[in-house]
Short mmCIF file of all heavy atoms in Angstrom, two decimals:
data_model
loop_
_atom_site.label_atom_id
_atom_site.label_comp_id
_atom_site.label_asym_id
_atom_site.label_seq_id
_atom_site.Cartn_x
_atom_site.Cartn_y
_atom_site.Cartn_z
N PRO A 139 -23.63 14.62 175.55
CA PRO A 139 -22.92 14.81 176.82
C PRO A 139 -23.89 14.78 178.01
O PRO A 139 -25.07 15.05 177.87
CB PRO A 139 -22.30 16.19 176.68
CG PRO A 139 -22.26 16.47 175.20
CD PRO A 139 -23.40 15.71 174.63
N LYS A 140 -23.35 14.47 179.15
CA LYS A 140 -24.14 14.35 180.36
C LYS A 140 -24.29 15.71 181.04
O LYS A 140 -23.37 16.53 181.03
CB LYS A 140 -23.47 13.39 181.34
CG LYS A 140 -23.36 11.97 180.82
CD LYS A 140 -24.67 11.27 180.89
CE LYS A 140 -24.54 9.82 180.49
NZ LYS A 140 -25.80 9.20 180.30
N ALA A 141 -25.46 15.94 181.64
CA ALA A 141 -25.71 17.16 182.41
C ALA A 141 -24.78 17.20 183.62
O ALA A 141 -24.40 16.16 184.15
CB ALA A 141 -27.16 17.20 182.86
N ASN A 142 -24.40 18.39 184.02
CA ASN A 142 -23.55 18.64 185.18
C ASN A 142 -22.14 18.08 185.05
O ASN A 142 -21.43 17.94 186.04
CB ASN A 142 -24.22 18.15 186.47
CG ASN A 142 -25.55 18.84 186.69
OD1 ASN A 142 -25.65 20.06 186.61
ND2 ASN A 142 -26.59 18.06 186.93
N LYS A 143 -21.73 17.74 183.84
CA LYS A 143 -20.36 17.32 183.56
C LYS A 143 -19.79 18.30 182.54
O LYS A 143 -20.50 18.74 181.63
CB LYS A 143 -20.32 15.91 182.96
CG LYS A 143 -20.96 14.87 183.82
CD LYS A 143 -19.93 14.08 184.55
CE LYS A 143 -20.68 13.04 185.38
NZ LYS A 143 -19.88 12.14 186.08
N PRO A 144 -18.51 18.67 182.65
CA PRO A 144 -17.93 19.65 181.73
C PRO A 144 -17.95 19.16 180.27
O PRO A 144 -17.64 18.02 179.99
CB PRO A 144 -16.49 19.82 182.21
CG PRO A 144 -16.48 19.28 183.58
CD PRO A 144 -17.56 18.25 183.67
N VAL A 145 -18.35 20.06 179.38
CA VAL A 145 -18.30 19.83 177.94
C VAL A 145 -17.20 20.74 177.41
O VAL A 145 -17.21 21.94 177.65
CB VAL A 145 -19.64 20.19 177.26
CG1 VAL A 145 -19.53 20.04 175.75
CG2 VAL A 145 -20.76 19.32 177.80
N LYS A 146 -16.23 20.17 176.70
CA LYS A 146 -15.10 20.94 176.19
C LYS A 146 -15.38 21.38 174.75
O LYS A 146 -15.61 20.55 173.88
CB LYS A 146 -13.83 20.12 176.25
CG LYS A 146 -12.59 20.88 175.88
CD LYS A 146 -11.36 20.00 176.07
CE LYS A 146 -10.09 20.74 175.76
NZ LYS A 146 -8.91 19.87 175.89
N LEU A 147 -15.38 22.70 174.53
CA LEU A 147 -15.52 23.26 173.19
C LEU A 147 -14.14 23.66 172.72
O LEU A 147 -13.35 24.19 173.49
CB LEU A 147 -16.44 24.48 173.23
CG LEU A 147 -17.83 24.26 173.83
CD1 LEU A 147 -18.59 25.57 173.87
CD2 LEU A 147 -18.60 23.24 173.03
N GLU A 148 -13.84 23.41 171.44
CA GLU A 148 -12.52 23.71 170.90
C GLU A 148 -12.63 24.42 169.55
O GLU A 148 -13.54 24.17 168.79
CB GLU A 148 -11.71 22.42 170.70
CG GLU A 148 -11.44 21.66 171.97
CD GLU A 148 -10.59 20.43 171.73
OE1 GLU A 148 -9.37 20.61 171.55
OE2 GLU A 148 -11.15 19.33 171.71
N TRP A 149 -11.64 25.28 169.27
CA TRP A 149 -11.55 25.99 168.00
C TRP A 149 -10.10 26.38 167.80
O TRP A 149 -9.27 26.27 168.70
CB TRP A 149 -12.46 27.23 167.99
CG TRP A 149 -12.21 28.10 169.18
CD1 TRP A 149 -11.25 29.07 169.31
CD2 TRP A 149 -12.91 28.07 170.42
NE1 TRP A 149 -11.29 29.62 170.56
CE2 TRP A 149 -12.31 29.04 171.26
CE3 TRP A 149 -13.97 27.33 170.92
CZ2 TRP A 149 -12.75 29.26 172.57
CZ3 TRP A 149 -14.39 27.57 172.22
CH2 TRP A 149 -13.80 28.53 173.02
N LYS A 150 -9.76 26.88 166.61
CA LYS A 150 -8.39 27.33 166.33
C LYS A 150 -8.26 28.80 166.70
O LYS A 150 -9.08 29.63 166.31
CB LYS A 150 -8.06 27.14 164.85
CG LYS A 150 -7.95 25.68 164.46
CD LYS A 150 -7.44 25.54 163.05
CE LYS A 150 -7.48 24.11 162.61
NZ LYS A 150 -6.39 23.31 163.02
N ASN A 151 -7.22 29.11 167.48
CA ASN A 151 -6.91 30.49 167.85
C ASN A 151 -5.41 30.60 168.06
O ASN A 151 -4.93 30.93 169.13
CB ASN A 151 -7.68 30.90 169.12
CG ASN A 151 -7.51 32.37 169.44
OD1 ASN A 151 -7.09 33.15 168.60
ND2 ASN A 151 -7.83 32.74 170.66
N SER A 152 -4.65 30.30 167.00
CA SER A 152 -3.19 30.27 167.10
C SER A 152 -2.60 31.65 167.39
O SER A 152 -1.53 31.76 167.97
CB SER A 152 -2.57 29.66 165.84
OG SER A 152 -3.03 30.36 164.71
N ALA A 153 -3.30 32.71 167.00
CA ALA A 153 -2.81 34.07 167.24
C ALA A 153 -3.15 34.56 168.65
O ALA A 153 -2.79 35.67 169.03
CB ALA A 153 -3.39 35.02 166.21
N LYS A 154 -3.84 33.74 169.43
CA LYS A 154 -4.26 34.11 170.80
C LYS A 154 -5.08 35.39 170.82
O LYS A 154 -4.94 36.24 171.69
CB LYS A 154 -3.06 34.23 171.74
CG LYS A 154 -2.25 32.97 171.87
CD LYS A 154 -2.98 31.93 172.65
CE LYS A 154 -2.09 30.71 172.86
NZ LYS A 154 -2.83 29.52 173.14
N ALA A 155 -5.93 35.55 169.81
CA ALA A 155 -6.80 36.73 169.70
C ALA A 155 -7.82 36.73 170.84
O ALA A 155 -8.20 35.68 171.36
CB ALA A 155 -7.51 36.74 168.36
N LYS A 156 -8.27 37.92 171.21
CA LYS A 156 -9.29 38.04 172.25
C LYS A 156 -10.64 37.65 171.66
O LYS A 156 -11.08 38.21 170.65
CB LYS A 156 -9.33 39.48 172.76
CG LYS A 156 -10.29 39.70 173.90
CD LYS A 156 -10.17 41.12 174.41
CE LYS A 156 -11.55 41.71 174.53
NZ LYS A 156 -11.55 43.09 174.95
N LEU A 157 -11.29 36.68 172.27
CA LEU A 157 -12.57 36.17 171.79
C LEU A 157 -13.60 36.25 172.91
O LEU A 157 -13.26 36.26 174.09
CB LEU A 157 -12.44 34.71 171.35
CG LEU A 157 -11.41 34.42 170.27
CD1 LEU A 157 -11.26 32.93 170.07
CD2 LEU A 157 -11.77 35.11 168.97
N THR A 158 -14.86 36.30 172.53
CA THR A 158 -15.96 36.28 173.49
C THR A 158 -16.85 35.10 173.17
O THR A 158 -17.22 34.90 172.01
CB THR A 158 -16.77 37.59 173.44
OG1 THR A 158 -15.90 38.69 173.72
CG2 THR A 158 -17.92 37.58 174.43
N ILE A 159 -17.20 34.34 174.20
CA ILE A 159 -18.14 33.24 174.02
C ILE A 159 -19.41 33.60 174.78
O ILE A 159 -19.35 34.12 175.89
CB ILE A 159 -17.54 31.90 174.49
CG1 ILE A 159 -18.45 30.74 174.06
CG2 ILE A 159 -17.24 31.88 175.97
CD1 ILE A 159 -17.78 29.40 174.06
N GLU A 160 -20.54 33.40 174.12
CA GLU A 160 -21.85 33.66 174.72
C GLU A 160 -22.66 32.37 174.66
O GLU A 160 -22.67 31.69 173.64
CB GLU A 160 -22.60 34.75 173.96
CG GLU A 160 -21.93 36.10 174.00
CD GLU A 160 -22.67 37.16 173.21
OE1 GLU A 160 -23.56 36.80 172.39
OE2 GLU A 160 -22.37 38.34 173.40
N VAL A 161 -23.33 32.05 175.77
CA VAL A 161 -24.15 30.84 175.84
C VAL A 161 -25.58 31.26 176.17
O VAL A 161 -25.81 32.10 177.04
CB VAL A 161 -23.63 29.86 176.92
CG1 VAL A 161 -24.49 28.61 176.97
CG2 VAL A 161 -22.18 29.49 176.64
N TYR A 162 -26.53 30.67 175.44
CA TYR A 162 -27.96 30.97 175.60
C TYR A 162 -28.71 29.69 175.93
O TYR A 162 -28.35 28.61 175.46
CB TYR A 162 -28.53 31.53 174.29
CG TYR A 162 -27.93 32.84 173.88
CD1 TYR A 162 -26.71 32.88 173.22
CD2 TYR A 162 -28.57 34.03 174.17
CE1 TYR A 162 -26.15 34.09 172.85
CE2 TYR A 162 -28.01 35.24 173.80
CZ TYR A 162 -26.80 35.27 173.15
OH TYR A 162 -26.24 36.47 172.79
N ASN A 163 -29.78 29.81 176.72
CA ASN A 163 -30.64 28.65 176.96
C ASN A 163 -31.64 28.53 175.82
O ASN A 163 -31.63 29.34 174.88
CB ASN A 163 -31.32 28.73 178.34
CG ASN A 163 -32.26 29.90 178.48
OD1 ASN A 163 -32.69 30.52 177.51
ND2 ASN A 163 -32.59 30.22 179.71
N ASN A 164 -32.53 27.55 175.89
CA ASN A 164 -33.49 27.33 174.79
C ASN A 164 -34.60 28.37 174.76
O ASN A 164 -35.46 28.33 173.88
CB ASN A 164 -34.06 25.92 174.84
CG ASN A 164 -34.88 25.65 176.08
OD1 ASN A 164 -34.86 26.43 177.04
ND2 ASN A 164 -35.58 24.55 176.09
N LYS A 165 -34.60 29.34 175.68
CA LYS A 165 -35.56 30.45 175.66
C LYS A 165 -34.89 31.72 175.15
O LYS A 165 -35.41 32.82 175.33
CB LYS A 165 -36.14 30.67 177.05
CG LYS A 165 -36.94 29.49 177.54
CD LYS A 165 -37.43 29.70 178.95
CE LYS A 165 -38.17 28.45 179.40
NZ LYS A 165 -38.43 28.44 180.83
N GLN A 166 -33.71 31.57 174.54
CA GLN A 166 -32.93 32.66 173.96
C GLN A 166 -32.48 33.68 175.00
O GLN A 166 -32.25 34.83 174.69
CB GLN A 166 -33.70 33.34 172.83
CG GLN A 166 -34.02 32.40 171.70
CD GLN A 166 -34.82 33.05 170.59
OE1 GLN A 166 -35.34 34.15 170.73
NE2 GLN A 166 -34.94 32.38 169.47
N GLN A 167 -32.34 33.23 176.25
CA GLN A 167 -31.82 34.09 177.31
C GLN A 167 -30.32 33.82 177.45
O GLN A 167 -29.90 32.67 177.55
CB GLN A 167 -32.51 33.78 178.64
CG GLN A 167 -34.00 34.04 178.61
CD GLN A 167 -34.71 33.41 179.81
OE1 GLN A 167 -34.41 32.29 180.21
NE2 GLN A 167 -35.66 34.14 180.36
N LYS A 168 -29.53 34.90 177.44
CA LYS A 168 -28.09 34.75 177.61
C LYS A 168 -27.82 34.34 179.05
O LYS A 168 -28.24 35.00 179.98
CB LYS A 168 -27.37 36.05 177.29
CG LYS A 168 -25.86 35.89 177.22
CD LYS A 168 -25.11 37.20 177.06
CE LYS A 168 -25.53 37.97 175.84
NZ LYS A 168 -24.74 39.20 175.66
N ILE A 169 -27.13 33.21 179.22
CA ILE A 169 -26.85 32.73 180.57
C ILE A 169 -25.38 32.84 180.94
O ILE A 169 -25.02 32.73 182.10
CB ILE A 169 -27.34 31.28 180.76
CG1 ILE A 169 -26.66 30.34 179.77
CG2 ILE A 169 -28.85 31.19 180.64
CD1 ILE A 169 -26.84 28.87 180.09
N LYS A 170 -24.50 33.07 179.96
CA LYS A 170 -23.08 33.16 180.25
C LYS A 170 -22.38 33.94 179.15
O LYS A 170 -22.67 33.78 177.98
CB LYS A 170 -22.48 31.75 180.34
CG LYS A 170 -21.07 31.70 180.78
CD LYS A 170 -20.95 30.74 181.93
CE LYS A 170 -19.53 30.66 182.40
NZ LYS A 170 -19.32 31.10 183.73
N THR A 171 -21.46 34.81 179.56
CA THR A 171 -20.57 35.52 178.64
C THR A 171 -19.19 35.49 179.24
O THR A 171 -19.02 35.75 180.43
CB THR A 171 -21.00 36.99 178.46
OG1 THR A 171 -22.33 37.03 177.96
CG2 THR A 171 -20.09 37.71 177.48
N GLU A 172 -18.21 35.14 178.43
CA GLU A 172 -16.84 35.09 178.92
C GLU A 172 -15.89 35.54 177.83
O GLU A 172 -16.04 35.15 176.68
CB GLU A 172 -16.51 33.68 179.39
CG GLU A 172 -15.25 33.60 180.20
CD GLU A 172 -15.09 32.25 180.87
OE1 GLU A 172 -16.10 31.68 181.32
OE2 GLU A 172 -13.95 31.79 180.93
N THR A 173 -14.91 36.35 178.20
CA THR A 173 -13.87 36.79 177.27
C THR A 173 -12.62 35.96 177.54
O THR A 173 -12.25 35.77 178.69
CB THR A 173 -13.57 38.29 177.46
OG1 THR A 173 -14.79 39.01 177.26
CG2 THR A 173 -12.54 38.78 176.47
N LEU A 174 -12.00 35.49 176.47
CA LEU A 174 -10.82 34.64 176.62
C LEU A 174 -9.92 34.76 175.41
O LEU A 174 -10.31 35.34 174.40
CB LEU A 174 -11.27 33.19 176.83
CG LEU A 174 -12.33 32.67 175.87
CD1 LEU A 174 -11.72 31.73 174.87
CD2 LEU A 174 -13.42 31.99 176.63
N ASN A 175 -8.71 34.25 175.52
CA ASN A 175 -7.83 34.21 174.36
C ASN A 175 -7.27 32.81 174.16
O ASN A 175 -6.20 32.62 173.61
CB ASN A 175 -6.70 35.25 174.48
CG ASN A 175 -5.84 35.02 175.71
OD1 ASN A 175 -6.07 34.11 176.49
ND2 ASN A 175 -4.83 35.84 175.87
N ALA A 176 -8.01 31.83 174.57
CA ALA A 176 -7.61 30.43 174.46
C ALA A 176 -8.27 29.79 173.24
O ALA A 176 -9.00 30.43 172.50
CB ALA A 176 -8.02 29.68 175.73
N ASN A 177 -7.99 28.49 173.05
CA ASN A 177 -8.63 27.77 171.95
C ASN A 177 -9.54 26.65 172.47
O ASN A 177 -9.98 25.80 171.71
CB ASN A 177 -7.60 27.23 170.96
CG ASN A 177 -6.57 26.35 171.63
OD1 ASN A 177 -6.62 26.11 172.83
ND2 ASN A 177 -5.62 25.89 170.84
N THR A 178 -9.80 26.66 173.79
CA THR A 178 -10.75 25.72 174.38
C THR A 178 -11.53 26.43 175.48
O THR A 178 -11.09 27.45 176.01
CB THR A 178 -10.06 24.49 175.01
OG1 THR A 178 -9.23 24.91 176.08
CG2 THR A 178 -9.26 23.72 174.00
N TRP A 179 -12.68 25.85 175.81
CA TRP A 179 -13.51 26.39 176.89
C TRP A 179 -14.39 25.27 177.39
O TRP A 179 -14.86 24.45 176.60
CB TRP A 179 -14.35 27.55 176.36
CG TRP A 179 -15.15 28.28 177.39
CD1 TRP A 179 -14.68 29.13 178.35
CD2 TRP A 179 -16.56 28.23 177.56
NE1 TRP A 179 -15.71 29.62 179.10
CE2 TRP A 179 -16.89 29.08 178.63
CE3 TRP A 179 -17.59 27.55 176.92
CZ2 TRP A 179 -18.19 29.27 179.07
CZ3 TRP A 179 -18.88 27.75 177.36
CH2 TRP A 179 -19.17 28.60 178.42
N LYS A 180 -14.60 25.21 178.70
CA LYS A 180 -15.44 24.16 179.28
C LYS A 180 -16.74 24.76 179.78
O LYS A 180 -16.75 25.81 180.41
CB LYS A 180 -14.70 23.45 180.41
CG LYS A 180 -13.59 22.58 179.89
CD LYS A 180 -12.95 21.78 180.98
CE LYS A 180 -11.84 20.92 180.40
NZ LYS A 180 -11.13 20.19 181.44
N PHE A 181 -17.82 24.04 179.51
CA PHE A 181 -19.17 24.48 179.87
C PHE A 181 -19.83 23.38 180.68
O PHE A 181 -19.81 22.21 180.30
CB PHE A 181 -19.97 24.75 178.58
CG PHE A 181 -21.41 25.06 178.80
CD1 PHE A 181 -21.79 26.24 179.41
CD2 PHE A 181 -22.39 24.19 178.38
CE1 PHE A 181 -23.13 26.54 179.61
CE2 PHE A 181 -23.74 24.48 178.57
CZ PHE A 181 -24.10 25.66 179.19
N THR A 182 -20.42 23.75 181.82
CA THR A 182 -21.15 22.81 182.66
C THR A 182 -22.52 23.39 182.96
O THR A 182 -22.63 24.56 183.30
CB THR A 182 -20.39 22.58 183.99
OG1 THR A 182 -19.07 22.15 183.70
CG2 THR A 182 -21.09 21.53 184.84
N ALA A 183 -23.56 22.58 182.79
CA ALA A 183 -24.92 23.06 183.04
C ALA A 183 -25.84 21.87 183.32
O ALA A 183 -25.45 20.71 183.18
CB ALA A 183 -25.44 23.85 181.85
N THR A 184 -27.07 22.20 183.67
CA THR A 184 -28.08 21.18 183.90
C THR A 184 -28.63 20.66 182.57
O THR A 184 -28.35 21.23 181.51
CB THR A 184 -29.23 21.74 184.76
OG1 THR A 184 -29.79 22.87 184.09
CG2 THR A 184 -28.74 22.16 186.13
N LYS A 185 -29.44 19.63 182.65
CA LYS A 185 -30.05 19.01 181.46
C LYS A 185 -30.79 20.06 180.63
O LYS A 185 -31.49 20.91 181.17
CB LYS A 185 -31.02 17.94 181.94
CG LYS A 185 -31.67 17.14 180.87
CD LYS A 185 -32.55 16.07 181.48
CE LYS A 185 -33.24 15.27 180.41
NZ LYS A 185 -34.05 14.20 180.99
N GLY A 186 -30.61 20.02 179.31
CA GLY A 186 -31.32 20.94 178.44
C GLY A 186 -30.59 21.22 177.14
O GLY A 186 -29.56 20.61 176.84
N LEU A 187 -31.12 22.15 176.39
CA LEU A 187 -30.60 22.56 175.10
C LEU A 187 -29.99 23.95 175.24
O LEU A 187 -30.62 24.86 175.78
CB LEU A 187 -31.74 22.58 174.06
CG LEU A 187 -31.42 23.13 172.68
CD1 LEU A 187 -30.36 22.29 171.97
CD2 LEU A 187 -32.68 23.20 171.84
N TYR A 188 -28.76 24.11 174.75
CA TYR A 188 -28.04 25.38 174.85
C TYR A 188 -27.44 25.73 173.50
O TYR A 188 -27.09 24.84 172.71
CB TYR A 188 -26.91 25.28 175.90
CG TYR A 188 -27.43 24.95 177.27
CD1 TYR A 188 -27.56 23.63 177.69
CD2 TYR A 188 -27.80 25.96 178.14
CE1 TYR A 188 -28.06 23.32 178.94
CE2 TYR A 188 -28.30 25.67 179.40
CZ TYR A 188 -28.42 24.35 179.79
OH TYR A 188 -28.92 24.06 181.03
N TYR A 189 -27.34 27.01 173.22
CA TYR A 189 -26.71 27.51 172.00
C TYR A 189 -25.52 28.36 172.41
O TYR A 189 -25.55 29.03 173.43
CB TYR A 189 -27.70 28.36 171.20
CG TYR A 189 -28.91 27.58 170.74
CD1 TYR A 189 -30.07 27.55 171.49
CD2 TYR A 189 -28.87 26.84 169.56
CE1 TYR A 189 -31.18 26.81 171.09
CE2 TYR A 189 -29.97 26.10 169.15
CZ TYR A 189 -31.11 26.09 169.91
OH TYR A 189 -32.19 25.36 169.51
N TRP A 190 -24.46 28.33 171.58
CA TRP A 190 -23.30 29.15 171.90
C TRP A 190 -22.79 29.86 170.65
O TRP A 190 -22.97 29.39 169.53
CB TRP A 190 -22.20 28.33 172.57
CG TRP A 190 -21.59 27.24 171.75
CD1 TRP A 190 -22.15 26.02 171.47
CD2 TRP A 190 -20.33 27.25 171.11
NE1 TRP A 190 -21.29 25.28 170.70
CE2 TRP A 190 -20.16 26.01 170.47
CE3 TRP A 190 -19.30 28.18 171.02
CZ2 TRP A 190 -19.01 25.68 169.76
CZ3 TRP A 190 -18.16 27.85 170.31
CH2 TRP A 190 -18.03 26.61 169.69
N LYS A 191 -22.19 31.03 170.90
CA LYS A 191 -21.62 31.84 169.82
C LYS A 191 -20.21 32.22 170.21
O LYS A 191 -19.94 32.54 171.37
CB LYS A 191 -22.41 33.13 169.60
CG LYS A 191 -23.82 32.93 169.14
CD LYS A 191 -24.44 34.21 168.60
CE LYS A 191 -24.80 35.19 169.68
NZ LYS A 191 -25.58 36.32 169.17
N LEU A 192 -19.31 32.21 169.24
CA LEU A 192 -17.94 32.66 169.42
C LEU A 192 -17.76 33.92 168.58
O LEU A 192 -18.02 33.91 167.37
CB LEU A 192 -16.97 31.56 168.98
CG LEU A 192 -15.50 31.81 169.27
CD1 LEU A 192 -15.25 31.85 170.79
CD2 LEU A 192 -14.65 30.73 168.62
N LEU A 193 -17.35 35.00 169.23
CA LEU A 193 -17.22 36.30 168.57
C LEU A 193 -15.79 36.82 168.70
O LEU A 193 -15.13 36.57 169.73
CB LEU A 193 -18.17 37.31 169.23
CG LEU A 193 -19.63 36.87 169.36
CD1 LEU A 193 -20.33 37.70 170.42
CD2 LEU A 193 -20.32 36.99 168.04
N ASN A 194 -15.33 37.58 167.71
CA ASN A 194 -14.01 38.20 167.84
C ASN A 194 -14.14 39.55 168.54
O ASN A 194 -15.22 39.93 168.98
CB ASN A 194 -13.31 38.30 166.47
CG ASN A 194 -13.98 39.25 165.51
OD1 ASN A 194 -14.85 40.03 165.88
ND2 ASN A 194 -13.58 39.18 164.26
N SER A 195 -13.04 40.29 168.64
CA SER A 195 -13.06 41.55 169.39
C SER A 195 -13.93 42.62 168.74
O SER A 195 -14.34 43.58 169.39
CB SER A 195 -11.63 42.07 169.59
OG SER A 195 -11.01 42.27 168.34
N ASP A 196 -14.22 42.47 167.44
CA ASP A 196 -15.14 43.40 166.75
C ASP A 196 -16.58 42.89 166.79
O ASP A 196 -17.45 43.42 166.13
CB ASP A 196 -14.72 43.57 165.29
CG ASP A 196 -13.40 44.29 165.15
OD1 ASP A 196 -13.08 45.13 166.01
OD2 ASP A 196 -12.68 44.00 164.17
N PHE A 197 -16.81 41.83 167.54
CA PHE A 197 -18.12 41.17 167.68
C PHE A 197 -18.63 40.59 166.37
O PHE A 197 -19.83 40.49 166.15
CB PHE A 197 -19.15 42.09 168.35
CG PHE A 197 -18.79 42.36 169.79
CD1 PHE A 197 -18.12 43.51 170.15
CD2 PHE A 197 -19.09 41.43 170.77
CE1 PHE A 197 -17.76 43.74 171.47
CE2 PHE A 197 -18.73 41.65 172.09
CZ PHE A 197 -18.06 42.81 172.44
N ASP A 198 -17.69 40.18 165.49
CA ASP A 198 -18.05 39.42 164.30
C ASP A 198 -18.25 37.97 164.73
O ASP A 198 -17.47 37.43 165.52
CB ASP A 198 -16.93 39.47 163.25
CG ASP A 198 -16.71 40.87 162.71
OD1 ASP A 198 -17.69 41.62 162.58
OD2 ASP A 198 -15.55 41.22 162.43
N LEU A 199 -19.28 37.33 164.20
CA LEU A 199 -19.58 35.94 164.53
C LEU A 199 -18.56 35.03 163.84
O LEU A 199 -18.43 35.03 162.63
CB LEU A 199 -21.00 35.59 164.08
CG LEU A 199 -21.46 34.17 164.36
CD1 LEU A 199 -21.53 33.92 165.87
CD2 LEU A 199 -22.81 33.93 163.73
N LEU A 200 -17.84 34.24 164.65
CA LEU A 200 -16.87 33.29 164.11
C LEU A 200 -17.45 31.89 164.01
O LEU A 200 -17.13 31.13 163.11
CB LEU A 200 -15.62 33.25 164.99
CG LEU A 200 -14.88 34.57 165.17
CD1 LEU A 200 -13.73 34.39 166.13
CD2 LEU A 200 -14.39 35.10 163.83
N PHE A 201 -18.30 31.54 164.97
CA PHE A 201 -18.89 30.20 165.00
C PHE A 201 -20.11 30.21 165.89
O PHE A 201 -20.20 30.99 166.83
CB PHE A 201 -17.88 29.18 165.52
CG PHE A 201 -18.34 27.76 165.39
CD1 PHE A 201 -18.20 27.08 164.21
CD2 PHE A 201 -18.95 27.11 166.45
CE1 PHE A 201 -18.66 25.78 164.06
CE2 PHE A 201 -19.41 25.81 166.33
CZ PHE A 201 -19.26 25.14 165.12
N CYS A 202 -21.05 29.32 165.61
CA CYS A 202 -22.17 29.11 166.51
C CYS A 202 -22.50 27.63 166.50
O CYS A 202 -22.20 26.92 165.55
CB CYS A 202 -23.38 29.96 166.11
SG CYS A 202 -24.05 29.60 164.49
N GLY A 203 -23.08 27.18 167.60
CA GLY A 203 -23.40 25.77 167.70
C GLY A 203 -24.40 25.52 168.79
O GLY A 203 -24.88 26.46 169.45
N LYS A 204 -24.73 24.25 168.99
CA LYS A 204 -25.67 23.91 170.05
C LYS A 204 -25.11 22.76 170.87
O LYS A 204 -24.31 21.96 170.37
CB LYS A 204 -27.06 23.59 169.52
CG LYS A 204 -27.19 22.32 168.76
CD LYS A 204 -28.63 22.13 168.30
CE LYS A 204 -28.74 20.91 167.41
NZ LYS A 204 -30.10 20.71 166.95
N ILE A 205 -25.57 22.70 172.12
CA ILE A 205 -25.16 21.65 173.05
C ILE A 205 -26.44 21.07 173.63
O ILE A 205 -27.28 21.81 174.12
CB ILE A 205 -24.28 22.21 174.18
CG1 ILE A 205 -23.05 22.93 173.61
CG2 ILE A 205 -23.88 21.12 175.16
CD1 ILE A 205 -22.33 23.77 174.64
N ILE A 206 -26.57 19.76 173.58
CA ILE A 206 -27.70 19.09 174.19
C ILE A 206 -27.15 18.25 175.35
O ILE A 206 -26.36 17.34 175.13
CB ILE A 206 -28.43 18.18 173.18
CG1 ILE A 206 -28.94 19.00 172.00
CG2 ILE A 206 -29.58 17.45 173.86
CD1 ILE A 206 -29.46 18.17 170.84
N LEU A 207 -27.57 18.60 176.55
CA LEU A 207 -27.14 17.87 177.74
C LEU A 207 -28.27 16.97 178.23
O LEU A 207 -29.41 17.41 178.34
CB LEU A 207 -26.74 18.85 178.85
CG LEU A 207 -25.57 19.78 178.51
CD1 LEU A 207 -25.30 20.72 179.65
CD2 LEU A 207 -24.33 18.99 178.15
N GLU A 208 -27.95 15.72 178.46
CA GLU A 208 -28.95 14.73 178.87
C GLU A 208 -28.76 14.30 180.31
O GLU A 208 -27.70 14.31 180.84
CB GLU A 208 -28.90 13.52 177.95
CG GLU A 208 -29.20 13.89 176.52
CD GLU A 208 -29.06 12.72 175.56
OE1 GLU A 208 -28.58 11.64 175.98
OE2 GLU A 208 -29.45 12.88 174.41
#
């Protein structure tokens, strides 16, 4: 994906459960935290490597991944 353009992340959340998404830069610094109950989320940032985690309301890890923006 291109830097400074929205990247759409998707997952299944048919029960509309409360979820938290956390985004980290490549220095392991948390740069964004958002609580939502949707099944998509858009992320926009500058060029670089980012990691993201999706957590449930008990802060159990549901998914993690990485985003490389060029």
Side-chain angles (χ1 to χ4, degrees):
K140 297 284 185 191
N142 301 310
K143 302 259 180 176
V145 176
K146 186 176 182 182
L147 305 177
E148 298 183 77
W149 53 84
K150 291 188 187 278
N151 187 16
S152 55
K154 300 288 185 202
K156 184 175 131 183
L157 303 173
T158 301
I159 190 161
E160 296 179 345
V161 180
Y162 297 82
N163 63 17
N164 64 348
K165 296 177 182 168
Q166 300 178 348
Q167 298 166 319
K168 190 187 302 183
I169 59 167
K170 187 128 180 116
T171 301
E172 194 169 322
T173 302
L174 48 106
N175 60 359
N177 56 1
T178 63
W179 186 73
K180 288 185 180 176
F181 174 68
T182 305
T184 58
K185 184 177 179 178
L187 174 63
Y188 300 90
Y189 298 93
W190 64 284
K191 296 195 286 189
L192 187 65
L193 309 160
N194 67 12
S195 59
D196 292 330
F197 293 97
D198 295 325
L199 180 64
L200 301 176
F201 188 83
C202 62
K204 70 179 174 181
I205 304 166
I206 301 170
L207 299 178
E208 299 176 351

